[in-house]
Structures are given as structure tokens and as C-alpha cells.
Amino acid sequence: MSTHYSAHTVQSPLTPSDYRPISITPILSRLIERIVVTDYIYPSFQLPPTGLGFADQFAFQPSGSTTAALVQLLHTITNLLQSNAYVIVYALDFSKAFDTVRHSTLLDKLSLLHIPDHVYNWIEAFFRDHSHCTKFGDETSSSQPITASIIQGSAIGPAAFVVTASDLGPVTYGNSILKYADDTYLVIPAANCQTCADEIDNIEQWAKENNLMLNRKKSVEIVFVPPRTRRPPDIPPPAIPAISRVDSIKALGVTVSRKFSVTQHVDNLLAACAQTTFALRTLKHHGMPIKALQTVFQATVMAKINYE
């Protein structure tokens, strides 16, 4: 199977990393992938081997969702605030995480799962012998083998990333990591504030071993404090170079301030809904049927309000 890169118009300076593969897998292959994921990979998550864990991952699993991840994140923070003056949370960013998963490392972890040998062999064959080339104008480069990245648009790709991230965990007792795909949140209570640098170094080392890169410039730190505290706690200065401290974060689509206020999120939500309703009025003026307008309303405004 080959992956084709194509560039037709160039409006600004681009680098090779700006081009991503466009992969269209056959329907029969996709059906088999879903069987492999549903009947073998997901069940193996229930009894993970030593060194791999899936309880902190909320993406691409039957019982996972952004809502469950957000509830768990806020629940963890509020529980820690009962016995700590503040809680430090790092929202971490991995550069092009899905595009840089090394196949050999992924297969090593898959081999530890309790899946039949013939299923593992099929997965190994699925990732083997892929190549890519780049076409620009009338010029086409020679093909090069693909030894990293999970296939975009495939059914097995998301589960493969979950397996890749399954051995990432905190190094200090009392700290925790929550994941939704490549969105990773490191939670450190005030009692362990001296471990921030060690935790980030551990995550960065894990990223290097898995062919990923922690982007410190896009990662942020926020310090949560009890919302009704009378005396502000004594918070230490930021401990990690290049990771900026912010007063609010957008966690899985929801903006939360350091005192758990969601005012900014509500304001942004209302503004987005107002823009959509204005567009709907325009569509109605141009003759769109009522039933079609209702469908668009459900898919846009109600989806935002219901956090879908």
C-alpha cells in the first residue's frame, strides 16, 4: 500500500512536515480492522500486562468519552484540593503525535497484550511494506518506506495510539496522568510540587523513546486553588522552563479558570451559537426548508450546547 503526498498551490512558505499522508484503506480492510479492534484489542485492555495501563485513557474505547475524561480530571483536582492548598496541572502537547508513532515500538507493546498470535501477525502485516512519495507539479519523488505514523482514517489507528501511550505514567506516588488520545494532563498536588521537573523530564524521556516530541512552547501550566479561599495560598514560581503559566485552560473543549469558573466558556459558547443562528436566518431567507434548518440546528447549535 502506498501513501501519496500532493501539493497543488503554495500560498506561503511550507516545510516537508506540513504535508500529511492521505490514506484511503479498502472497505474490506476496514471491516477486518474493526473486527480485530472490537473482538481482540479492546478486550485485551481489561487485563493489561505489567507495565501497560489503560485506566487513565478515555479516548477510542467503548466506555471512553471527552465527558468522562473531563469529569475525571475535575474530580481528581477537587479531591486533591481537600488536603492541598493548590494543585498544579500541566496540559501537555506532543507535536504531530499520530504521525510519529514508531511501528516497531508499537508492535513491541502489542506483543505484550493477550491477543492470539494470528491476530498479532495480521496487525504486523498491516503496518508492514508501506511507502510514500511526494508530487509537486509534474515532478514525483522516489518512494520511501514508512516506518512511523498510524494510518489516518483507519479503524485500527486510534487503538494503536492508545497502546502506544499505555506505558506513560507518573513517577511519584500521589501524582496522576489523564489522557484523551494525545491530550495529556499531568496533575501534581501541592505536597509534591518539588517533583514537577522530574515528572516533565520523565514524560520527555518517554516521548523520545517512542519517537514523539513534547512541545514545551505549546504546553501550559495552571495552578488550581479552592474557589472560595479567603487567603490566597503561597504558590511557587513556574518550575519548568518554556512552559508558561496561565489563568485558564481549554481542557477537552471546555475553558476552565484556576478557580473553576466557566464564565469564559459560556461566553464563547453563546457567541458561537449566536453566529450559527444568524447563519440559519440567512439560510431561511434564501429558501432552505424548515426540516433542513432543524437538522442543521441540531448538528450545530444543539451539539455545542450538549457538548457533543
Side-chain angles (χ1 to χ4, degrees):
M1 174 183 172
S2 295
T3 300
H4 188 205
Y5 292 73
S6 188
H8 299 289
T9 59
V10 179
Q11 298 179 346
S12 60
L14 297 173
T15 63
S17 63
D18 292 319
Y19 294 94
R20 292 193 174 189
I22 302 172
S23 304
I24 303 176
T25 56
I27 294 177
L28 181 59
S29 171
R30 204 170 304 177
L31 290 174
I32 298 175
E33 291 174 57
R34 292 189 183 280
I35 294 173
V36 168
V37 170
T38 304
D39 294 352
Y40 297 100
I41 296 182
Y42 282 155
S44 69
F45 291 172
Q46 305 304 314
L47 295 172
T50 303
L52 303 184
F54 302 95
D56 58 359
Q57 175 64 263
F58 293 86
F60 311 132
Q61 299 190 66
S63 60
S65 66
T66 53
T67 301
L70 187 62
V71 168
Q72 181 62 32
L73 176 63
L74 296 179
H75 177 71
T76 301
I77 296 170
T78 53
N79 273 357
L80 289 173
L81 284 175
Q82 294 181 9
S83 55
N84 289 269
Y86 58 87
V87 174
I88 303 172
V89 175
Y90 291 94
L92 304 174
D93 179 87
F94 295 102
S95 300
K96 295 181 171 64
F98 284 77
D99 297 336
T100 55
V101 172
R102 186 189 294 114
H103 294 168
S104 59
T105 305
L106 167 63
L107 291 171
D108 287 343
K109 296 177 185 179
L110 280 168
S111 68
L112 300 176
L113 297 179
H114 299 293
I115 57 178
D117 290 344
H118 67 276
V119 173
Y120 173 83
N121 292 336
W122 184 91
I123 297 173
E124 190 276 333
F126 180 84
F127 285 103
R128 192 197 327 135
D129 297 333
H130 290 227
S131 62
H132 73 92
C133 65
T134 301
K135 183 178 182 180
F136 186 86
D138 297 328
E139 301 293 329
T140 303
S141 70
S142 59
S143 295
Q144 296 293 325
I146 297 177
T147 59
S149 84
I150 55 178
I151 299 173
Q152 299 289 329
S154 67
I156 202 171
F161 187 84
V162 170
V163 174
T164 298
S166 61
D167 61 342
L168 173 60
V171 294
T172 304
Y173 178 79
N175 299 341
S176 58
I177 289 180
L178 292 93
K179 312 162 194 165
Y180 187 88
D182 59 333
D183 290 337
T184 304
Y185 300 90
L186 170 64
V187 183
I188 301 176
N192 290 346
C193 65
Q194 74 282 357
T195 66
C196 291
D198 291 339
E199 292 287 357
I200 295 297
D201 289 343
N202 173 67
I203 293 172
E204 200 156 39
Q205 181 60 35
W206 174 88
K208 291 179 180 178
E209 292 172 355
N210 287 270
N211 201 41
L212 304 175
M213 185 178 73
L214 176 63
N215 191 334
R216 295 195 177 202
K217 292 184 178 180
K218 289 187 177 181
S219 301
V220 296
E221 169 196 294
I222 183 171
V223 182
F224 285 96
V225 297
R228 293 182 177 83
T229 181
R230 293 184 177 180
R231 179 179 298 178
D234 186 15
I235 300 174
I240 311 300
I243 296 183
S244 59
R245 178 174 290 176
V246 296
D247 290 328
S248 66
I249 61 170
K250 192 171 185 178
L252 302 172
V254 177
T255 303
V256 185
S257 75
R258 59 194 299 266
K259 288 190 175 183
F260 297 98
S261 171
V262 293
T263 301
Q264 183 179 348
H265 175 75
V266 173
D267 290 342
N268 294 340
L269 179 63
L270 292 176
C273 291
Q275 292 176 352
T276 305
T277 53
F278 175 79
L280 288 173
R281 286 197 298 269
T282 303
L283 292 174
K284 181 181 179 181
H285 178 73
H286 285 80
M288 177 174 279
I290 296 298
K291 287 188 177 180
L293 289 170
Q294 291 174 344
T295 301
V296 175
F297 178 80
Q298 291 292 333
T300 55
V301 176
M302 292 307 300
K304 289 185 176 69
I305 294 175
N306 293 330
Y307 187 55
E308 296 176 354

